Amino acid sequence: MSYTESIGSRTYRFADLKTLMAKASPQRSGDQLAGVAAASEEERVAAKMALAQVSLRTFLNEALIPYESDEVTRLVIDDHSSQAFAEIAHLTVGDFRNWLLSSTTDADTLTRIAAGLTPEMVAAVSKLMRNQDLILAARKRPVMTRFRNTIGLPGHMSVRLQPNHPTDDVKGIAASMLDGLMYGCGDAMIGINPASDNLAAITKLLLMIDEFRQRYQVPTQSCVLTHVTNTIAAIEKGAPVDLVFQSIAGTEKANAGFGISLALLQEAYEAGLSLQRGTVGNNLMYFETGQGSALSADAHFGVDQQTCEVRAYAVARKFKPFLVNTVVGFIGPEYLYDGKQITRAGLEDHFCGKLLGVPMGCDICYTNHAEADQDDMDNLLTLLGVAGINFIMGIPGADDVMLNYQSTSFHDALYVRDVLGLRRAPEFEEWLESMQITDARGALLSASPQQPLLEGARDWMGIA
């Protein structure tokens, strides 16, 4: 089905729904390099006007990537709830935007319709929204998950403590881990990107974190971000695996490039569940995504990068994840050129994930060859804090010395908590108070050698 829209004496024609979606997307370098972006701002406006008139039902009848050739499309269609969709089935994309922003549409309503939304519907409405619209609508939709603590409560924001080391040196990782905990970070998880992907190194890191966690009774969860097949192997060998990690994308071909399928993710999910390591819940999958992954793998089939990204959230939703992390500026300026594009993408990803019922966090980051700096990250951090982000990253000095990119620091988390009054996961906050790291309000106490964590942890970790 083709779509048309006139502006003045000029008429724009869009061959099909995926073309219309791509042309309606805000400007970004990835879509331009892929040849799917609007050729002018006028064409972009025309596409938005045409998209606003498309019925939400259309997305159930016109697949952007064929059902027969893509298992993500099959997942989206087969798992769609017509009952949940019925409440909004009469709306166009433009009407849906207005409905989302209405003061009568609340968290209960958004929770009720989530199973009736497809990623394409959600991506479409985001293309009609200003940044403030994305913030307002996302803030209405908290998504709570539980493993050893509770993430995503309204008025709360958690931090993934990321103590990476370029050689996987256990003492170096331990020092960064202790540093982050003393700043009150780590309630989302303690997650390490290993420099080595061999099973022995992965198991060594898992054992180190788990021994520390049990010794000090830390109500958090650990994760070593290795390929899911390595995690399955580690589970089979009895390693203490909490969260099961995998990078995912929005098409079957892109996921194949990661060496995964929906069946493999199901196997990993079941392996994680078999360990029964959660204490307050059993959400245990940790997924990472990022706009541009499908395009970089030549696996986007002419679909714009943001819509491909939102399709990845449908994959995540299937496995009831504990955390989903859009690593927003990590892939580079070939896909998000500058701070403005990174900011917009981060707000889009958070909004779209939350609307689908996914527990979204964001690695607020950039690579050093992008036209972005730490001021851009400060802006996005503040906006996502207002929008109700589930978690952000905590990295020593905001500079990851293993992955070589810029993110957010332990201090950045303190800033956004102070400005917006955001608390940590309640179980973790109780622990911090018991360890004399924070007071009852969650404010940091001055460090002293008598603090229980400092008193013995440095000796145990073998660091000065």
Side-chain angles (χ1 to χ4, degrees):
M1 178 179 176
S2 62
Y3 302 85
T4 62
E5 185 64 45
S6 296
I7 296 180
S9 61
R10 183 171 300 178
T11 297
Y12 291 91
R13 292 179 173 82
F14 308 98
D16 51 27
L17 187 56
K18 71 178 177 183
T19 302
L20 179 64
M21 294 268 284
K23 302 291 188 183
S25 295
Q27 184 180 25
R28 60 205 59 199
S29 52
D31 289 339
Q32 290 173 315
L33 289 173
V36 301
S40 67
E41 286 302 317
E42 184 173 282
E43 184 182 26
R44 183 171 288 111
V45 169
K48 289 178 185 288
M49 292 169 64
L51 183 59
Q53 300 171 55
V54 174
S55 169
L56 293 181
R57 292 184 183 276
T58 303
F59 295 93
L60 300 176
N61 302 319
E62 188 176 344
L64 305 191
I65 301 173
Y67 181 94
E68 297 75 17
S69 60
D70 186 271
E71 68 173 2
V72 177
T73 300
R74 292 194 291 274
L75 170 67
V76 168
I77 298 301
D78 294 349
D79 282 8
H80 181 259
S81 169
S82 56
Q83 181 178 358
F85 181 60
E87 189 169 345
I88 56 169
H90 62 289
L91 299 177
T92 65
V93 177
D95 293 333
F96 186 38
R97 172 190 175 274
N98 295 337
W99 183 86
L100 287 170
L101 299 177
S102 169
S103 59
T104 59
T105 301
D106 57 13
D108 289 341
T109 306
L110 294 176
T111 302
R112 191 169 60 242
I113 68 161
L117 296 174
T118 70
E120 290 83 0
M121 293 175 193
V122 174
V125 76
S126 76
K127 297 176 192 300
L128 305 184
M129 301 176 90
R130 293 170 57 187
N131 286 2
Q132 65 174 251
D133 300 336
L134 298 172
I135 293 167
L136 174 61
R139 187 176 176 85
K140 294 182 182 185
R141 180 57 166 108
V143 179
M144 280 80 75
T145 55
R146 296 171 176 85
F147 189 74
R148 285 199 191 91
N149 57 29
T150 305
I151 304 296
L153 292 166
H156 291 66
M157 184 198 73
S158 298
V159 176
R160 170 188 161 189
L161 204 173
Q162 183 170 298
N164 293 345
H165 192 279
T167 63
D168 288 340
D169 180 79
V170 173
K171 289 185 179 180
I173 289 170
S176 292
M177 190 166 73
L178 181 59
D179 187 26
L181 289 168
M182 291 303 297
Y183 277 102
C185 296
D187 52 341
M189 68 167 171
I190 299 171
I192 302 170
N193 300 84
S196 172
D197 222 19
N198 70 73
L199 193 56
I202 292 161
T203 302
K204 183 179 181 180
L205 294 175
L206 286 168
L207 288 168
M208 183 273 286
I209 301 175
D210 197 59
E211 184 181 348
F212 174 84
R213 182 190 61 78
Q214 292 195 58
R215 182 184 180 102
Y216 292 96
Q217 299 182 314
V218 191
T220 190
Q221 34 285 318
S222 65
C223 186
V224 174
L225 281 67
T226 185
H227 192 271
V228 70
T229 52
N230 290 333
T231 304
I232 293 172
I235 290 172
E236 291 172 346
K237 290 185 177 296
V241 173
D242 287 345
L243 303 185
V244 177
F245 164 78
Q246 184 54 50
S247 293
I248 58 173
T251 72
E252 180 178 349
K253 183 179 177 182
N255 282 326
F258 287 137
I260 61 166
S261 64
L262 296 180
L264 181 59
L265 293 178
Q266 183 67 35
E267 180 185 348
Y269 177 53
E270 292 173 2
L273 285 175
S274 73
L275 299 180
Q276 298 182 326
R277 291 176 59 83
T279 55
V280 298
N282 60 2
N283 301 113
L284 55 83
M285 300 299 284
Y286 173 58
F287 295 117
E288 287 194 344
T289 68
Q291 288 192 28
S293 58
L295 274 68
S296 66
D298 192 24
H300 60 102
F301 304 97
V303 177
D304 67 272
Q305 68 180 44
Q306 188 247 345
T307 301
C308 285
E309 169 74 2
V310 185
R311 283 169 56 92
Y313 305 154
V315 175
R317 180 170 64 173
K318 176 70 174 177
F319 301 101
K320 303 177 177 63
F322 183 66
L323 306 169
V324 176
N325 183 24
T326 170
V327 192
V328 67
F330 184 76
I331 299 181
E334 299 84 2
Y335 300 96
L336 296 169
Y337 180 73
D338 58 15
K340 182 175 182 178
Q341 292 187 13
I342 291 171
T343 298
R344 174 70 190 191
L347 294 176
E348 287 172 347
D349 294 350
H350 178 247
F351 160 80
C352 291
K354 284 290 184 66
L355 216 57
L356 290 170
V358 172
M360 289 302 297
C362 184
D363 190 341
I364 301 162
C365 64
Y366 65 100
T367 56
N368 287 315
H369 63 308
E371 291 294 322
D373 59 27
Q374 213 65 40
D375 286 338
D376 295 312
M377 301 306 104
D378 287 350
N379 293 342
L380 180 54
L381 170 63
T382 307
L383 295 172
L384 286 172
V386 174
I389 193 81
N390 277 31
F391 73 101
I392 62 167
M393 311 300 282
I395 296 170
D399 183 5
D400 193 298
V401 295
M402 195 280 280
L403 293 173
N404 294 310
Y405 78 114
Q406 310 304 310
S407 185
T408 47
S409 70
F410 306 143
H411 301 80
D412 294 332
L414 294 178
Y415 147 73
V416 77
R417 289 192 196 287
D418 191 41
V419 168
L420 300 177
L422 299 173
R423 305 299 292 255
R424 301 169 181 88
E427 302 89 343
F428 191 79
E429 201 158 72
E430 288 178 16
W431 176 81
L432 290 173
E433 186 179 357
S434 73
M435 300 300 285
Q436 301 170 38
I437 296 172
T438 63
D439 63 19
R441 298 175 295 111
L444 287 184
L445 297 172
S446 298
S448 72
Q450 287 72 45
Q451 285 174 307
L453 193 60
L454 284 179
E455 201 166 35
R458 287 180 295 185
D459 290 337
W460 176 81
M461 292 176 174
I463 57 178

